[in-house]
Amino acid sequence: MSATTDTQHLIQAVTGNQAVAMAMKQIDPDVVAAYPITPQTDVVQEFAEYVAAGSVKANFVTVESEHSAMSACIGSASAGARTMTATSSAGFALMWEMLYIAASMRCPIVMTTVNRALSGPINIHCDHSDSMGGRDSGWVQIYNEDAQEAYDATIMGFPIAEHADVRLPVMNMYDGFIISGAIGPLQALTDDEVKAFIGDAPTYPNLLNTDEPMTFGPFDGLHGFYFEHKIAQQRAMDRALNVIQGVYDRFAAVTGRQYNHLMTYCMEDADIAMVVANSAAGNARIVADQLRAEGVKAGVIKLRTFRPFPTAEYAKALANVKAVGVMDRADSFGGVGGPLYMELLSALYQYDIRAKTANFIYGLGGRDIFPQDVETGFRLLQAAAEGADLPKSRVYLNMKGA
Amino acid sequence: MATKLSPKEYVKRGDRLTGGHRLCAGCGASIVARNVLKGAKDHPVVVGAATGCLEVSTSLYPYTAWEDAYIHTAFENVAATVSGVEAAYQSLKKQGKIDKPFKFVAFGGDGGTYDIGIQSLSGALERGHDFVYVCYDNGAYMNTGFQRSGATPLGAWTTTTPTGKVQPGKPQQRKNLTQIAAAHNVPYVAQASIHDFRDLISKAEVAFDTEGPAVLVVLSTCPRGWRCDVAQSVNMARMMVQSCYWPLYEVIDGKYVINYDPKKRKIPVADWMKLQGRFSHLFKPESQHLVQELQDYVDREWERLKALASLPNPGATTE
Ligand SMILES: Cc1ncc(C[n+]2csc(CCOP(=O)(O)OP(=O)(O)O)c2C)c(N)n1
Ligand code: SF4
Ligand SMILES: [Mg+2]
């Protein structure tokens, strides 16, 4: 659809949080259980306004903590209700125990995680330490660059989560303040389009089925099926790769906006590439453009689907690249590098790709990332493509006193 | 107010927690669960349980002892989990997607209620979900090997308040969960005991019939952790009630009603403490004063309860 002639899909100026709250209103789930935390707060507040105005049917459970938010979401989803929530940072950390339980009980919950640094020191600004730490919890994780992507991902949440081949919770990330609070363009779907896209919730075994009362969350004490249960979760993740791409494609058919597990930019003939998630992808593309203007074959891969990790697709996209940089907005202290870096190294190794690699840590606790910072990284890659070595240890971008 | 079920009516109500579960012989927890569920009459029920002895012993995959739909997620959050189930039910009912008259009950041990679960319980009570919360109180974390809880009585041996040269068991008195629950001004709170199961069922019935949150705090014996005779399990609860350590009472819309006053038959706490190995160290001369301290505490609390019951309507939620 063309934005200029299409009056049904006018471009609006909204914050990331408003965009997501709008998507939640259009989805109109049966239950929302959430607790406020900066920078997610206005998602909850906006939704509360919709509840107060009677414009949604959702039962809004104003829980007393995020642990209870996720617990209530699990109860609700296990009762067969479409269930959503949103959080950030400390709230995400407080949900920790329940994140694993939500996934292992195969609850198709859709959650927005507005990325914010974990304490301490307490810091309200963006980094990815919250959601990156939850990467092994069994949730599908999708990272989003801007308000439009966050909105679109929210709408695509239930078709992925509820798919019979998947039945896993889905979390969508976007950057705190940078996207959550900044006003950007949004082209929304109509309510009818959203309803048609997500369809009615499928029925799955649930607590309110009197014909077949079932025990949910039993104790795997003596007989030992925990292992097989975990394998089943991994198999669902394997199947999710195709299902997610299918939902992306179906979404493209409706909106013209095509998403893929990884979003490549100038990668066809790239010698050097930067892998980056969320809002900093824009900076990386600007720098790639500048380098291209100089004749440097630079490209960018924006990470979108992180769980499940599309290993083969990264291997394919990077098969002919000489040097790859991975930008991590979170660290894994004492590890090989940041979480994205470790993931990518493993993917490349598995596919016998031996490009030179470097790990750029940036933006922790909301530290700005300027195009010149990304350029610093790209210049190292450029030199490496021409024969220089890359540092084995982390390279910090825009560190004070550097 | 709860009126006791007739024995005839009692036998008519089937068991919704089946035999074959793995709770110890003489365990109070199954007596609590079975009788509470009898109070739900013919309603379909969704049962929630917090991690603890009741939970691990009744849901050993691939078996289950629960005839009703059942959910366990974790230890500290059964009230939150069940509030989510109830919220889903209310939403689906309002949308006309479900018409069965479901009831909801959450079971938690004293650890899962007095301690780690008190926040989620408080939140769920304050939000006013239509559910029944049942704490089966055996006075310690039994499932993990008898550690102290906020419900453990003064002086009791537990594995985290062992008896040693400088510490004669638990140094603190217990807290009063029933009155904490009542302070939420929920419509119905009651204290019950496994030895009087007709009273327990009747209270459960009132709790299920109450619109909004209702809380039952039930004295539940643990012969393993209390180091007492299995055959004396139910009798132990009877004696504890008779000593006024565990008064049977209700708080109905803020009004306290005592259901049982032993009057002249009130027995000293030492009578049952002597029968429980967890207190055996207190009967040595050097720690005898702790028995008296517990006695004084019980007497004081009993007088306070009687004073509360004599007030016209201390909670003032309805008048
Ligand atoms: C968050 C968390 N902390 C600790 C535990 C370990 N744990 C499991 S059950 C339990 C004690 C349960 O005590 P209580 O609630 O009194 O029930 P009981 O076993 O006595 O019936 C503990 C400490 C846990 N499962 N989860
Ligand atoms: S340890 Fe105590 S509470 Fe647990 S099952 Fe045995 S008797 Fe019951
Ligand atoms: Mg206990």
Side-chain angles (χ1 to χ4, degrees), chain B residues 38-61:
Chain B
K38 283 181 203 286
K41 294 176 278 192
D42 297 331
H43 290 283
V45 173
V46 178
V47 176
T51 311
C53 274
L54 179 67
E55 170 266 329
V56 298
S57 305
T58 55
S59 67
L60 268 159
Y61 186 81

Side-chain angles (χ1 to χ4, degrees), chain B residues 52-53 75 108-112 135-143 147 149 151-152 220 222 226:
Chain B
C53 274
F75 181 26
D110 48 290
C135 173
Y136 67 99
D137 180 352
N138 51 29
Y141 305 162
M142 300 310 182
N143 183 52
Q147 296 86 21
S149 79
T152 306
S220 181
C222 170
W226 294 7

Side-chain angles (χ1 to χ4, degrees), chain B residues 253-280:
Chain B
D253 287 330
K255 170 80 183 130
Y256 280 70
V257 179
I258 295 173
N259 311 118
Y260 168 72
D261 183 346
K263 296 200 172 120
K264 287 203 191 95
R265 292 211 195 104
K266 183 166 179 276
I267 59 169
V269 291
D271 285 13
W272 49 265
M273 290 172 80
K274 271 185 209 148
L275 304 174
Q276 299 180 13
R278 61 177 171 157
F279 297 113
S280 59

Side-chain angles (χ1 to χ4, degrees), chain A residues 30 57 59 61-65 67-68 71-72 75-76 97-98 101 207 210 213-219 223 225, chain B residues 56 59-61 63-64 67 69-74 76-77 80-81 84-85 87-88 91 95 98 100 102 119-120 127:
Chain A
D30 299 313
K57 67 175 185 325
N59 192 346
V61 188
T62 49
V63 281
E64 83 298 332
S65 74
H67 194 283
S68 286
S71 302
S76 168
E97 179 191 26
M98 303 317 296
I101 295 170
L207 290 164
T210 43
M214 283 173 73
T215 287
F216 288 68
F219 177 50
H223 307 287
F225 288 93
Chain B
V56 298
S59 67
L60 268 159
Y61 186 81
Y63 305 104
T64 182
E67 296 280 359
Y70 164 98
I71 182 166
H72 161 261
T73 65
E76 65 277 53
N77 63 347
T81 304
V85 181
S91 178
Q95 297 172 54
I98 190 159
K100 302 252 169 43
F102 269 94
Q119 172 183 315
S120 69
R127 291 192 300 275

